[in-house]
Amino acid sequence: MTILAPSVLNADFSRLAEQITALESGGADWIHLDIMDGHFVPNMTFGPMIVEAIRRITALPLDAHLMISNADAYISAFQEAGADLITVHVEASPHLWRTLENIRTLGARPGVTLNPATPLLMIEQVLPLVDMVLVMSVEPGFGGQRFLPAALERIAQLKRWREERGLGFLIEVDGGIDEQTAGRVIAAGADVLVIGQAIFRQSDIATAVRQLRMNLPR
């Protein structure tokens, strides 16, 4: 079954506990956390203290996407705050192999991602080390962007590599996912969908999650 991972980037933080409870009620599988530092990407969001607060709100797996420079310095803080999955960018991780091994040693599940213009070959050698590969279908840094169709071939290529090499990593897709694009990325091979505005712009968040699930291809 496709995993739905709503991103709280688009949440109303004055009602965060209420909205996360609504996500749970609607059947969300994970909570996606977009961590931005204003340096690696041109926006800032939140750090480990907010992750720790979210951990107290929900028992759902917390999926932390670190869009930050020098991620190695902060991995332990996010793991200790409650992140279950931690994904780092190849562009910001000069010692990627060591970084991914460190995430697993600390007790979190490691993931890797790359910007839309970065070749997939940049992460090919670490695929045996990861539990998940995140395909960015927009440029990282802002919510509400339009889906980049080139992501579909990247998803399909990752699926081929996974099957050919007997690997077990999940394929996650983030950016412009809604009822129109969800079916296309699932058909290409996606396992995990990160959804933002398609859920949070609705007045009834729980119903929005259920409706999206209902409309996914079986």
Side-chain angles (χ1 to χ4, degrees), residues 8-9 11-14 16-17 20 31-36 44-58 62 64 77-78 80-83:
V8 296
L9 177 65
D12 178 351
F13 272 66
S14 70
L16 188 58
I20 288 177
I31 301 296
H32 186 81
L33 308 173
D34 289 299
I35 313 297
M36 307 180 193
M44 296 179 69
T45 54
F46 51 84
M49 290 180 64
I50 298 297
V51 176
E52 185 177 5
I54 293 172
R55 176 78 290 162
R56 293 196 298 268
I57 295 168
T58 181
L62 299 184
F78 283 106
E80 290 170 6

Side-chain angles (χ1 to χ4, degrees), residues 6-88:
S7 168
V8 296
L9 177 65
N10 299 106
D12 178 351
F13 272 66
S14 70
R15 303 167 55 212
L16 188 58
E18 171 191 339
Q19 293 193 339
I20 288 177
T21 299
L23 293 173
E24 289 185 316
S25 176
D29 301 295
W30 298 354
I31 301 296
H32 186 81
L33 308 173
D34 289 299
I35 313 297
M36 307 180 193
D37 64 357
H39 183 261
F40 179 67
V41 293
N43 199 3
M44 296 179 69
T45 54
F46 51 84
M49 290 180 64
I50 298 297
V51 176
E52 185 177 5
I54 293 172
R55 176 78 290 162
R56 293 196 298 268
I57 295 168
T58 181
L60 291 179
L62 299 184
D63 170 27
H65 174 196
L66 304 189
M67 290 171 272
I68 64 176
S69 301
N70 193 21
D72 294 272
Y74 300 97
I75 287 168
S76 62
F78 283 106
Q79 187 276 328
E80 290 170 6
D84 298 287
L85 301 99
I86 298 177
T87 296
V88 296

Side-chain angles (χ1 to χ4, degrees), residues 6 12 16 54 59 66 72 77 103 114 131 159 179 181 188:
D12 178 351
L16 188 58
I54 293 172
L66 304 189
D72 294 272
I103 293 171
L114 65 180
D131 287 357
K159 182 182 179 182
E179 290 186 357
T181 56

